[in-house]
Amino acid sequence: MVGTPRVKAQQALAVARLWNAGAAQPVHIRDAENSSWGIELGGRRVVLRLTSEAHRTREQLEAELDFVDHVAAGGLNVAPGLESLAGQRIVDASRFVASGERTYAAVFPRFEGRNFEYYSADIDRPLFHLWGRAMGRLHALSQSFKARREFRRPDWPDDAVAGCCASGVAEDDEALPLRNQLIAWLHGQASEPAHYGMVHGDFERTNFLLHDGSIQIFDFDDCCHHWFCWDIACALWVFRNASREERAHYLGWFLEGYGAVREPDATRLERFPDLIRLRTVALLLHRLRKVQSTSAMEEEWIQRTRNWLRSPWSW
């Protein structure tokens, strides 16, 4: 995958020892935009994340941690960056990882808890209410966040995923015109600070855990400045193929929880189906851009997604 550091267990362990000399038991979690590892660090499990500069600059990584600190100070249960032995939270680990780009490391606490289960009793009003309430708190805290001049996350048009970057993608007679239409709509929205600010960018099932009736949030790698309703679309996108009745329940329950904290963005949520389409196009373009050659599984996902975009659909 373009931009993902290729890391072996011993390399991950060597980097983790910059946080604790006794670091042990590296377990590979996954390679996506980052290479992630579970590590035993001073008697507790943590997550080591290795990021290529081709994906995020050091300044962007620092800005991510600033935002996480801000929402943590406001009482949100999030995973903050941990300091290395040298007192840094973002460490240049290039000497440990063979790559054409600089590689940066960060370490985060690993939460106890579980992901919700599809097709189970989890999929009911309490889950969506809790999820929506957590997002509402995140956005409420976002409104008081002031990014440092030198450490700032991108505005959404400049973010590869949220901005539906089309560079590196072959001419596409279907996805690109739809992308341009939806992006133009968002660009044309009047400035409304109450509904615009830092968003998580990927607040979906795999990036939070349920534990003792609360939500624990992590992986702010996609955070950027955006309309808050984008976060809601990213969260509920996975349910786009549920029945129409189910989708209505899920969004309604989610907004109940969200509305208990702050007023939802009624204007842009009127076009929630278009936000879901835009999220779909964003992920399609990202998938097309990030691979040199596609596997059969990738090709199947791409074709299925193209077919979905062609179909008549509304939330």
Side-chain angles (χ1 to χ4, degrees), residues 61-310:
L61 295 170
E62 294 280 6
E64 173 194 347
L65 297 189
D66 282 352
F67 182 55
V68 172
D69 287 347
H70 176 78
V71 297
L76 210 58
N77 199 355
V78 294
L82 304 178
E83 286 192 353
S84 69
L85 295 171
Q88 297 177 311
R89 296 195 299 174
I90 303 297
V91 174
D92 188 335
S94 304
R95 68 186 186 275
F96 298 100
V97 180
S99 172
E101 299 281 347
R102 286 193 176 278
T103 298
Y104 299 109
V107 168
F108 303 91
R110 188 162 193 175
F111 286 134
E112 298 291 330
R114 66 180 183 88
N115 298 118
F116 70 77
E117 295 291 337
Y118 296 118
Y119 311 110
S120 76
D122 285 339
I123 309 300
D124 207 342
R125 186 178 202 155
L127 167 68
F128 291 93
H129 194 277
L130 183 66
W131 194 357
R133 189 177 182 87
M135 186 176 287
R137 291 180 63 201
L138 175 68
H139 294 166
L141 290 165
S142 175
Q143 290 198 279
S144 60
F145 176 65
K146 303 297 182 187
R148 289 187 280 170
R149 184 183 300 274
E150 67 274 28
F151 297 144
R152 180 179 167 84
R153 297 293 287 195
D155 289 296
W156 68 269
D158 300 320
D159 182 80
V161 176
C164 291
C165 177
S167 64
V169 177
E171 283 298 319
D172 189 308
D173 293 336
E174 292 182 310
L176 291 182
L178 179 57
R179 175 253 184 218
N180 294 340
Q181 174 190 339
L182 295 173
I183 290 289
W185 162 61
L186 272 186
H187 270 303
Q189 298 302 293
S191 175
E192 292 186 45
H195 300 303
Y196 190 96
M198 282 284 284
V199 299
H200 181 285
D202 199 18
F203 192 173
E204 50 83 43
R205 174 182 178 270
T206 62
N207 289 331
F208 69 86
L209 296 177
L210 303 171
H211 184 66
D212 290 341
S214 68
I215 278 183
Q216 303 172 124
I217 312 165
F218 49 92
D219 194 359
F220 282 71
D221 181 53
D222 285 330
C223 66
C224 64
H225 300 268
H226 209 318
W227 294 98
F228 291 144
C229 57
W230 176 250
D231 251 357
I232 300 176
C234 292
L236 298 185
W237 178 83
V238 72
F239 296 105
R240 68 199 179 283
N241 291 321
S243 73
R244 188 170 189 135
E245 181 181 11
E246 288 170 329
R247 294 197 305 269
H249 283 316
Y250 300 162
L251 180 58
W253 293 335
F254 192 98
L255 292 178
E256 280 180 8
Y258 190 98
V261 178
R262 68 186 311 275
E263 192 68 27
D265 181 358
T267 299
R268 273 146 293 273
L269 284 173
E270 286 180 356
R271 292 187 61 170
F272 192 68
D274 283 335
L275 289 168
I276 295 293
R277 287 189 185 90
L278 185 58
R279 178 63 171 172
T280 305
V281 171
L283 295 177
L284 174 61
L285 294 177
H286 181 58
R287 189 73 64 98
L288 291 171
R289 187 174 56 248
K290 74 180 182 178
V291 292
Q292 300 287 357
S293 59
T294 53
S295 65
M297 185 177 297
E298 292 275 358
E299 290 287 0
E300 181 186 358
W301 186 93
I302 289 167
Q303 189 56 52
R304 190 169 65 247
T305 301
R306 288 188 186 282
N307 291 339
W308 185 89
L309 286 169
R310 294 185 193 113

Side-chain angles (χ1 to χ4, degrees), residues 40-52:
E40 183 77 22
L41 202 71
R44 63 171 172 167
R45 295 298 291 178
V46 300
V47 175
L48 168 70
R49 189 183 73 184
L50 293 148
T51 304
S52 168

